[in-house]
Amino acid sequence: MTNAPTILTLDCDTYSNDPQPPLCALCYLSDPKFRSKLGFVQFPQRFRGINKKDIYACEHKRLYKINPFGMDGLLGPNYLGTGCFFSRRVFFGGPSHLLLPEMPQLGPNNVVDKPFQSQEVLELAHHVAGCSYEKNTTWGLKIGVRYGSLVEDFFTGYQMHCEGWKSIFCHPDRAAFYGDAPMKLVDVLNQNKRWSIGDLEVAFSKYSPITHGTRAMGPTMPKSVFLVLGT
């Protein structure tokens, strides 16, 4: 719950390993050359707890390093669910098409002019922290993180690219963030099952890269999307 112009998303098991990434992300997001169409800056996922042989293939080098490097020359890497700095504007439609939420206080350009302890701000915070504020609204469909798939991170980034936003892959020598990798085979299988089902939900929906993606981004980007779907 924030009106900040830049938003960092992290998994609950992810922690910062370097104080410099926010400055790196802001350099990109504030650059006049990129600012008008740059939606987010993605850092690679790095993990603690992986054994030397990585017997469960938890590092996912192709998904988290190789693919993003290649896609960086197109519209940019997809959203990986963590270690990502967003421009707040990206959650409200394409670069040239602003969608306003049903509540003006939640709009991308709204400036809070009251103290956080004020009754009005506290009431709004309690409202958006509830389970029903997005019902019968465009939240989750056209605004904000997109629902409708078990892989909401991939689906959200893919939709943003379809709307015309670009992204940048920032890979500093020192790991920006670290997370925890699955420690047991059953956890690995459950994780990959969820990813596979979520990817198939997107592939066989009206937002399929073959149809929706080709119309929105041309013939090149859907191929890159399928690299993610096939990982």
Side-chain angles (χ1 to χ4, degrees):
M1 295 182 291
T2 176
N3 284 90
T6 304
I7 299 172
L8 168 63
T9 62
L10 293 175
D11 278 344
C12 61
D13 63 349
T14 302
Y15 61 90
S16 175
N17 185 61
D18 185 0
Q20 296 301 317
L23 298 178
C24 297
L26 288 174
C27 284
Y28 286 118
L29 293 170
S30 302
D31 193 322
K33 295 180 180 179
F34 306 114
R35 185 169 52 195
S36 62
K37 289 192 175 182
L38 180 59
F40 58 90
V41 179
Q42 177 68 61
F43 287 80
Q45 286 205 43
R46 302 284 292 274
F47 299 98
R48 297 286 194 188
I50 298 179
N51 57 51
K52 293 182 179 180
K53 296 184 179 180
D54 192 14
I55 58 175
Y56 298 142
C58 292
E59 195 169 4
H60 294 288
K61 287 185 178 181
R62 184 160 70 90
L63 176 62
Y64 295 142
K65 295 180 182 179
I66 299 174
N67 284 358
F69 267 126
M71 295 169 71
D72 206 30
L74 300 172
L75 288 181
N78 212 309
Y79 173 37
L80 300 178
T82 185
C84 187
F85 289 84
F86 284 94
S87 167
R88 189 165 185 267
R89 170 65 179 80
V90 78
F91 292 107
F92 296 88
S96 58
H97 183 56
L98 177 65
L99 296 174
L100 295 177
E102 288 74 5
M103 299 180 63
Q105 304 95 313
L106 303 179
N109 300 319
N110 182 63
V111 177
V112 179
D113 56 0
K114 295 181 175 61
F116 291 151
Q117 295 83 4
S118 67
Q119 187 65 28
E120 181 180 344
V121 173
L122 291 176
E123 288 179 358
L124 179 62
H126 281 288
H127 177 63
V128 299
C131 300
S132 60
Y133 84 95
E134 75 271 44
K135 289 184 178 179
N136 301 318
T137 70
T138 52
W139 288 101
L141 300 174
K142 297 181 179 180
I143 295 179
V145 175
R146 312 302 161 82
Y147 307 152
S149 170
L150 289 176
V151 285
E152 76 290 336
D153 49 358
F154 161 72
F155 188 41
T156 298
Y158 166 55
Q159 284 285 73
M160 290 175 176
H161 282 155
C162 288
E163 292 170 355
W165 293 103
K166 294 184 178 182
S167 57
I168 286 178
F169 186 59
C170 187
H171 189 188
D173 294 333
R174 182 178 177 181
F177 304 98
Y178 272 116
D180 293 328
M183 302 296 292
K184 299 178 181 179
L185 178 59
V186 65
D187 295 331
V188 175
L189 294 176
N190 285 333
Q191 183 184 65
N192 282 274
K193 177 183 177 182
R194 179 175 62 83
W195 287 348
S196 299
I197 294 175
D199 289 339
L200 289 173
E201 287 174 337
V202 178
F204 291 99
S205 71
K206 66 178 181 180
Y207 299 107
S208 169
I210 297 178
T211 55
H212 180 75
T214 301
R215 289 195 302 268
M217 297 182 282
T220 304
M221 278 306 293
K223 295 180 181 178
S224 301
V225 172
F226 274 119
L227 287 176
V228 179
L229 293 175
T231 299

